Structure formats: C-alpha cells, structure tokens
Amino acid sequence: MNLLIVEDEIQLSGEIRRFLEKEGFVCDEAHTGRIASEKIFSNDYDLVLLDLGLPDYDGIDLLIESVQNNGRASVIILSARSSTEDKTKGLDLGADDYLSKPFSMLELKSRILAVTRRKHGLKENIFRIQGFVIDLDKRKLFFGENEIVLTKKEYDILSFLILNKNKVTTRLQISEHIWGDIFEENYNSNYIDVHIKNLRKKMSDYAETEFLETVRGIGFKLNAP
Ligand code: CA
C-alpha cells in the first residue's frame, strides 16, 4: 500500500519512512502543507499520516482536503496536540485514527494495519482462502504448513487483491498502489500480468487458484466467500 507522510519534522518523517519501507509500504513524504496539498490532489494514496502542526497550513484543513479529494485514503493524525478536543475534532472530520507524539514505530504499524483492516472489512491480519493462508502482518503466504515464497511485488499484488476482494481492480489501480506515483511515467500493464502469472503458478503447485480471476479488458478480482 502507498502512504503519504505529512510531517514538517524532517528527521521524524525520514525515520517513519525508513521504518515503513522496511515493512513493505511504499512511502512518499511532504514536509509542508502546500506540498502535501498538491500531492493529495494528484495522487491516489491508500493512507495519509498527517501531522496537524504544520508551519504553513492548518493540519485540519489538510484533513478536510484529504477526505474530500482522496476519498479512498484513510487518515491517521500524528500530533503533539493531544487534547481531547483536537482528537474529537479530527475524528469527527473524517480521520480514521489519532496517534499522539511521541509514539513507537511498532504502534504506528499496528494502527496502520488496524485502520486498513477496518476499511476493508477484515477482522484479523490472517486471511484464509481455499487452504491458502495469507499473513498480512508478516507479509507471508502459506498453504497449510508450507510457506510459498513470493517476491515483494507478487505479495503486494496478492494483498491488494485481498483487501479489495470481490471487487474488480484495474491494472492502473494495482500499479498506483504498488509503485506509488513513480510508476506512472513508465506504466506498462503487461508487467502486472507477468507477476500475476508467476503468482498463480506458485500457488497452483498446492491448489486450484480459480478464485484469482482475470476480468477481460479491465483487470483482476479475488473472489472470496
Ligand atoms: Ca509539526
């Protein structure tokens, strides 16, 4: 999933980015409200981590913009302001969660996963389908006791289809989600088909994968009961 980190403390922003990238997220940073506003307007993020205390912008205005312009994105507020009034205001205006500074990176990660699960109607980090088990926290795929080793991109595509299960996702949505905005310039949809083909091949050594459907001319769909 691709995230935007809106934080004017450059050191903290970099620390969050390094941690989350190590955990497999695609991250983009904005150190001012103006840049954040432009990025939110032009990119399709899954989640925005939003510092309310920015020098050039009221974070609450940015929250309103994120919710209005980028409806698919979840928002977690990161803020030193920890008064109940600020929290309630943020949540009332559409933020999905609120984390007071200082926070631990592990807590940040579990909040991100929890918000993502809630948004997609999953109760836990483990997703099961026809004998396959996908651990969304550890980013691993199993069949029974056997781990099926995936490349980062194969895993990212599989988890994106799980989060959007029973909905058709286009190749463009998949690439935006997995490569962030870097990918648009050299967008080539064949790339995704190759990863899906390899993914199916690895999985079909264990069981049928007809739940992973190709929707002709549009994209892909994971059919879950
Ligand atoms: Ca700040």
Side-chain angles (χ1 to χ4, degrees):
M1 58 189 285
N2 65 340
L3 284 91
L4 176 65
I5 304 161
V6 183
E7 172 61 72
D8 64 309
E9 288 166 56
I10 294 174
Q11 201 185 335
L12 176 61
S13 179
E15 210 179 300
I16 295 173
R17 179 183 199 143
R18 283 188 295 280
F19 171 78
L20 292 177
E21 283 183 342
K22 211 165 70 212
E23 297 292 324
F25 297 95
V26 176
C27 299
D28 196 2
E29 289 175 73
H31 302 142
T32 67
R34 189 183 58 80
I35 304 244
S37 172
E38 283 170 16
K39 283 181 180 281
I40 286 166
F41 187 74
S42 53
N43 296 300
D44 189 16
Y45 296 107
D46 295 302
L47 192 139
V48 178
L49 295 176
L50 179 63
D51 172 26
L52 287 187
L54 296 165
D56 64 329
Y57 224 88
D58 186 341
I60 289 285
D61 290 339
L62 214 45
L63 169 62
I64 296 169
E65 286 181 24
S66 319
V67 173
Q68 287 175 348
N69 292 333
N70 206 325
R72 220 166 61 83
S74 307
V75 180
I76 298 179
I77 292 175
L78 307 176
S79 180
R81 305 184 197 171
S82 59
S83 77
T84 317
E85 198 189 325
D86 277 329
K87 282 187 190 175
T88 358
K89 192 172 177 194
L91 295 171
D92 284 348
L93 287 169
D96 299 274
D97 204 353
Y98 195 112
L99 204 49
S100 300
K101 291 179 187 172
F103 50 83
S104 81
M105 292 296 159
L106 286 175
E107 180 173 12
L108 174 64
K109 183 192 168 190
S110 53
R111 298 285 187 111
I112 291 173
L113 290 176
V115 161
T116 306
R117 282 200 314 268
R118 254 201 328 267
K119 181 163 91 177
H120 296 281
L122 294 177
K123 286 196 185 65
E124 47 174 8
N125 285 328
I126 304 289
F127 179 80
R128 292 183 173 82
I129 187 159
Q130 301 199 4
F132 294 101
V133 179
I134 297 97
D135 186 326
L136 297 166
D137 178 20
K138 300 203 167 61
R139 300 174 47 87
K140 285 179 190 288
L141 166 69
F142 298 90
F143 188 83
E145 299 289 294
N146 302 301
E147 183 183 349
I148 304 171
V149 179
L150 301 181
T151 64
K152 180 177 187 302
K153 291 193 170 66
E154 287 160 5
Y155 175 83
D156 284 341
I157 292 173
L158 178 63
S159 63
F160 187 65
L161 293 175
I162 289 171
L163 292 177
N164 294 288
K165 59 188 184 313
N166 299 321
K167 280 184 272 188
V168 180
T169 47
T170 66
R171 290 176 174 81
L172 184 62
Q173 283 170 331
I174 295 174
S175 67
E176 269 179 340
H177 168 90
I178 291 169
W179 287 274
D181 60 353
I182 316 150
F183 192 66
E184 268 173 47
E185 292 159 24
N186 46 9
Y187 174 67
N188 174 358
S189 64
N190 276 340
Y191 212 50
I192 291 162
D193 292 74
V194 171
H195 290 303
I196 297 251
K197 193 174 150 221
N198 293 338
L199 179 62
R200 278 205 184 103
K201 191 162 172 288
K202 287 182 182 177
M203 293 174 85
S204 61
D205 285 344
Y206 294 89
E208 295 289 320
T209 58
E210 77 287 349
F211 55 86
L212 212 54
E213 186 189 337
T214 302
V215 182
R216 268 188 75 174
I218 307 175
F220 303 92
K221 187 171 135 196
L222 188 140
N223 298 298

